Amino acid sequence: MSGFYDFIHIGFGLFTVLSVMFINYKLKMYDFFDDEMDDLRSLRFGRAFLYIFWMIYQIVLAGFHVVSIIIKPKMPIKPSILTFRTDLPSAHAKMILGNSITLTPGTLTIEISGDLFTVHALDENSFEGITSDEMPRQVLKLFSKEDRQVIHDVNITPSNRN
């Protein structure tokens, strides 16, 4: 990426890539989670294709919502911290849910600790897709055909505004 294509730069680039591949190969020998998947056999790829388009639609909707908040003179935000527990099949499913929440404007996944999620939301409309269980169910459908309640023990705490 330096723009130089001489032997030394290409050699350092190859050495770096090979080093990272070697380290990642060594790390793959260890399981960091009890339910870690070595392969993606349980991921439903057809559903993943649909999920990508559903997620893009959610990002656009949430983006318009955040823009509408910003352009209002009083900026009617009521930030909240949302905590909830999930019943998802794997650490990968939890990671996908956390990343999906963060990708959606107006929400940010602060922490995932086991089954407990902590999310910051700009206002009540920002976390509606989570509390209605719509987004967590979409993530569940990536790994399973069953349709069931995914989140429970929801707690909403208003943030302090200074």
Side-chain angles (χ1 to χ4, degrees):
M1 301 205 36
S2 66
F4 297 105
Y5 301 106
D6 56 15
F7 178 75
I8 193 78
H9 285 92
I10 291 174
F12 280 137
L14 286 173
F15 175 75
T16 303
V17 168
L18 292 174
S19 299
V20 169
M21 288 175 63
F22 177 75
I23 291 169
N24 282 337
Y25 178 76
K26 289 285 193 183
L27 283 175
K28 196 62 181 153
M29 297 172 137
Y30 301 99
D31 290 335
F32 294 100
F33 299 101
D34 292 336
D35 60 354
E36 187 169 338
M37 299 181 304
D38 286 334
D39 56 11
L40 295 174
R41 278 185 265 186
S42 64
L43 181 67
R44 299 171 59 208
F45 286 101
R47 191 70 194 169
F49 181 74
L50 295 173
Y51 182 79
I52 290 169
F53 289 105
W54 178 85
M55 192 65 213
I56 290 169
Y57 177 69
Q58 296 302 314
I59 290 169
V60 170
L61 281 180
F64 281 121
H65 173 68
V66 170
V67 167
S68 72
I69 290 174
I70 291 171
I71 62 175
K72 290 181 182 173
K74 294 184 181 181
M75 284 184 69
I77 62 172
K78 295 178 185 172
S80 301
I81 300 294
L82 174 70
T83 58
F84 59 92
R85 294 201 175 276
T86 63
D87 184 19
L88 289 169
S90 68
H92 286 91
K94 294 172 195 167
M95 177 203 58
I96 290 171
L97 177 59
N99 286 335
S100 297
I101 291 169
T102 299
L103 279 171
T104 308
T107 54
L108 174 69
T109 303
I110 298 171
E111 182 180 13
I112 303 172
S113 179
D115 289 336
L116 180 66
F117 280 66
T118 306
V119 175
H120 180 273
L122 199 56
D123 67 351
E124 294 168 2
N125 289 334
S126 297
F127 61 75
E128 184 179 338
I130 300 167
T131 57
S132 70
D133 210 25
E134 180 183 6
M135 184 179 284
R137 283 184 183 197
Q138 291 293 329
V139 172
L140 177 64
K141 289 177 185 177
L142 290 173
F143 296 92
S144 173
K145 290 183 179 182
E146 64 182 322
D147 187 24
R148 59 177 168 77
Q149 184 77 24
V150 177
I151 69 165
H152 53 91
D153 298 337
V154 178
N155 184 23
I156 301 166
T157 309
S159 292
N160 294 334
R161 288 178 53 189
N162 294 331

